[in-house]
Amino acid sequence: MQNMGKTYKNEHFVHFTKMHGAGNDYIYVNTLIYDIDCPEEFSRRWSAAHTGIGSDGLVLICKPTEGVDADFRMRIFNADGSEAMMCGNASRCIGKYVYEKGLTRSTEVKLETLSGIKVLRLHLDSRGKVESVTVDMGEPCLHQAEQYDESVGGKVSADGREFEGTFVSMGNPHFVIFVNDIINIDISCYGKVLERDPAFPQRCNIEFAQVTARGKIRTRVWERGSGITMACGTGACATAVAAAFTGRGDRHSTICMDGGDLDIEWGEDNHVYMTGPAEFAFEGDISLD
């Protein structure tokens, strides 16, 4: 692919777009135009709050893999440079990006991810802008040997405290812990330890959740590879599934995260459907040097 980046004073730049879904913010680059040879390095560099753009990571919008029935492909890298399998908030933002940038005129988009094909349904406002996006997140899995060692019996420890939770895989691993005081629990202290517990061979996203009313769950997230984030789409899905599975909720929940609310429905077809916002923050050019 030819690099179409701008050149200033012999420095090569790419155009980026900063977007967020319920406060979960990523840097988006259209690789149909720009080559990004070392996304792991750029994700670490650009995600830095004080010396880069500042974000939860880097998302590349790509052509689908040859032979795959999809419209676009997403690659997502956490702030530490590790590649993630899926991100619900980022997938919604891609839906808004490709529609409002004129890359598609369809309000149904098939997105290839490392967790399979996700179908995005775009909901337009009266101006024809994407107001929200519903993502078919596929079927949750409560038993995934490569992601979770079930011999621990749902109990893991951090900093001398034992936590009991529910493992849910949404393609990527999640461990949902229901607590009585979501406000005062030290997410940073416990999350960074639990992420790397031996029970999770691939590391794990950790959700701390509290049911505040029937069908409403307050959730805070420690994301694998990024730390505390304002929201996590797959984490919201995992929380809703864990609540329904343990009898704490129904199959339709509002998940209230630091950055906003996500509507989650665990359908009769066993698929989880996530609906939420997607927003542009700003755009710019950044050096590859």
Side-chain angles (χ1 to χ4, degrees), residues 1 5 25 35-36 47-48 74 81 84 100 148 160 168 194 201 216 219 236 250 268 272 279 282:
M1 182 189 304
D25 63 326
D35 287 326
I36 303 293
S47 295
M74 174 175 74
E100 295 193 13
Y148 177 54
V168 181
L194 294 175
K216 184 169 287 189
T219 303
D250 301 319
E268 295 302 320
V272 178
E279 301 290 343
F282 59 87

Side-chain angles (χ1 to χ4, degrees), residues 229-265:
T229 57
M230 297 288 286
C232 175
T234 53
C237 295
T239 299
V241 169
F245 180 73
T246 61
R248 292 179 170 90
D250 301 319
R251 294 176 75 96
H252 193 173
S253 299
T254 298
I255 307 300
C256 307
M257 296 187 155
D258 290 344
D261 296 350
L262 297 175
D263 183 87
I264 310 296
E265 182 175 3

Side-chain angles (χ1 to χ4, degrees), residues 216-239:
K216 184 169 287 189
I217 305 170
R218 180 72 173 93
T219 303
R220 299 175 66 194
V221 184
W222 177 275
E223 281 201 55
R224 176 180 61 167
S226 292
I228 295 174
T229 57
M230 297 288 286
C232 175
T234 53
C237 295
T239 299

Side-chain angles (χ1 to χ4, degrees), residues 88-276:
N89 291 318
S91 65
R92 294 199 315 277
C93 287
I94 285 183
K96 184 178 180 71
Y97 183 105
V98 297
Y99 187 85
E100 295 193 13
K101 296 286 188 181
L103 301 181
T104 182
R105 296 318 304 160
S106 176
T107 56
E108 183 170 297
V109 176
K110 293 180 180 178
L111 182 65
E112 179 187 358
T113 77
L114 289 178
S115 293
I117 306 298
K118 308 301 179 185
V119 178
L120 319 179
R121 293 183 175 84
L122 316 183
H123 309 296
L124 309 183
D125 64 16
S126 59
R127 301 169 300 158
K129 300 294 185 180
V130 177
E131 185 174 44
S132 64
V133 180
T134 297
V135 185
D136 180 350
M137 300 290 287
E139 299 187 41
C141 181
L142 301 175
H143 307 282
Q144 195 79 284
E146 62 269 27
Q147 294 179 347
Y148 177 54
D149 180 2
E150 295 187 13
S151 69
V152 300
K155 297 179 180 180
V156 291
S157 297
D159 198 33
R161 178 173 174 177
E162 184 177 77
F163 293 94
E164 186 169 0
T166 302
F167 173 82
V168 181
S169 177
M170 295 301 306
N172 55 352
H174 294 267
F175 194 70
V176 183
I177 301 167
F178 286 94
V179 298
N180 295 323
D181 185 0
I182 192 67
I183 300 300
N184 293 311
I185 189 167
D186 192 338
I187 304 298
S188 179
C189 172
Y190 298 125
K192 64 185 177 183
V193 177
L194 294 175
E195 174 191 350
R196 297 177 179 274
D197 190 274
F200 311 116
Q202 299 176 1
R203 296 190 292 164
C204 195
N205 301 285
I206 309 298
E207 281 75 40
F208 296 89
Q210 181 178 2
V211 177
T212 58
R214 194 70 184 182
K216 184 169 287 189
I217 305 170
R218 180 72 173 93
T219 303
R220 299 175 66 194
V221 184
W222 177 275
E223 281 201 55
R224 176 180 61 167
S226 292
I228 295 174
T229 57
M230 297 288 286
C232 175
T234 53
C237 295
T239 299
V241 169
F245 180 73
T246 61
R248 292 179 170 90
D250 301 319
R251 294 176 75 96
H252 193 173
S253 299
T254 298
I255 307 300
C256 307
M257 296 187 155
D258 290 344
D261 296 350
L262 297 175
D263 183 87
I264 310 296
E265 182 175 3
W266 189 7
E268 295 302 320
D269 59 359
N270 201 38
H271 283 226
V272 178
Y273 297 90
M274 174 192 62
T275 301

